[in-house]
Amino acid sequence: MLVFPVFRGLFRGRTVGNENVPMQGPVVVVANHGSHLDPPLLGHALGRPVAFMAKSELFDVPVLGPIIRACGAYPVRRGASDREAIRTATARLEQGWATGVFLDGTRQANGRVNEPMPGAALLAARSGAPLLPVAIVNSHRAWGPGQRRLRAVPILLRIGTPIPAPASRRKPDLEATTRELQQRINGLLDQGLLDQGLLGQGLPGRPPH
């Protein structure tokens, strides 16, 4: 009720590819990360609840905290071990949740996947859940790092086709799946910019032709 009017009204939001979302069973939703808006947008737009790891201090932010909690986010303490975070996320998958992971692990000023981490691939390898690549187009321009005010720019979510879990937890398998996710998501971002007529306008983070 809170996210829908903001996404659809203020940001003229829309989604493409909802038919690719598995509506039942565990799935690791993997996205780029350009804004604090991303968790509630994903939680709204996929048509099923998505559980997210989020820094515990975000739950103390007025308005944002209650929204991300309602959208399925769960707190991870700053400084908590990677193993603890992985165990918590794996438990969500075992309960049948769609569990969200931002591939870079933190917000990127250009909104792209720049330095992907293997956490999403490891979660999939541990649980056997497929990975669902999702591109959030323009959220970094709406409320990105260092930006004090919201900008009412159009936001688009492009949902790709699921990717199977890695064959094993071995480093080469995890790295190969992580690279594929990076390529898929950045490709979806470029397609989203084409959809909005923005590709070629010199926006930050766009790769050269």
Side-chain angles (χ1 to χ4, degrees), residues 89-101:
T90 301
R92 287 294 199 277
L93 289 166
E94 290 173 348
Q95 295 166 4
W97 275 82
T99 299
V101 178

Side-chain angles (χ1 to χ4, degrees), residues 38-203:
D38 296 338
L41 292 182
L42 280 173
H44 157 72
L46 295 192
R48 62 176 290 184
V50 181
F52 280 96
M53 292 185 212
K55 293 181 294 185
S56 57
E57 54 265 34
L58 293 181
F59 291 81
D60 297 325
V61 177
V63 182
L64 178 66
I67 290 176
I68 63 175
R69 189 182 296 275
C71 289
Y74 53 93
V76 175
R77 294 178 294 105
R78 183 181 293 274
S81 69
D82 289 342
R83 288 183 179 180
E84 178 182 339
I86 290 291
R87 282 197 300 267
T88 302
T90 301
R92 287 294 199 277
L93 289 166
E94 290 173 348
Q95 295 166 4
W97 275 82
T99 299
V101 178
F102 296 115
L103 200 53
D104 283 297
T106 189
R107 292 176 300 155
Q108 302 293 301
N110 64 6
R112 298 182 70 80
V113 178
N114 299 304
E115 298 180 4
M117 306 294 286
L122 178 58
L123 275 178
R126 285 171 59 100
S127 64
L131 298 127
L132 183 70
V134 179
I136 309 171
V137 183
N138 267 355
S139 70
H140 69 293
R141 296 177 63 227
W143 190 21
Q147 190 173 322
R148 295 184 178 182
R149 296 183 179 181
L150 287 174
R151 295 177 59 201
V153 300
I155 293 179
L156 169 70
L157 273 72
R158 287 197 66 92
I159 304 166
T161 55
I163 297 171
S168 76
R169 302 184 199 180
R170 294 173 59 249
K171 185 176 180 180
D173 290 332
L174 299 181
E175 289 180 342
T177 297
T178 300
R179 286 194 299 270
E180 182 176 0
L181 286 165
Q182 179 183 26
Q183 293 167 1
R184 292 272 195 106
I185 293 171
N186 283 340
L188 290 167
L189 284 168
D190 291 338
Q191 183 59 53
L193 292 173
L194 281 172
D195 291 343
Q196 294 184 326
L198 296 174
L199 194 62
Q201 294 185 18
L203 293 178

Side-chain angles (χ1 to χ4, degrees), residues 6-19:
V6 174
F7 178 56
R8 301 292 181 177
L10 179 62
F11 297 115
R12 291 160 283 167
R14 61 192 184 94
T15 61
V16 177
N18 283 85
E19 67 277 5

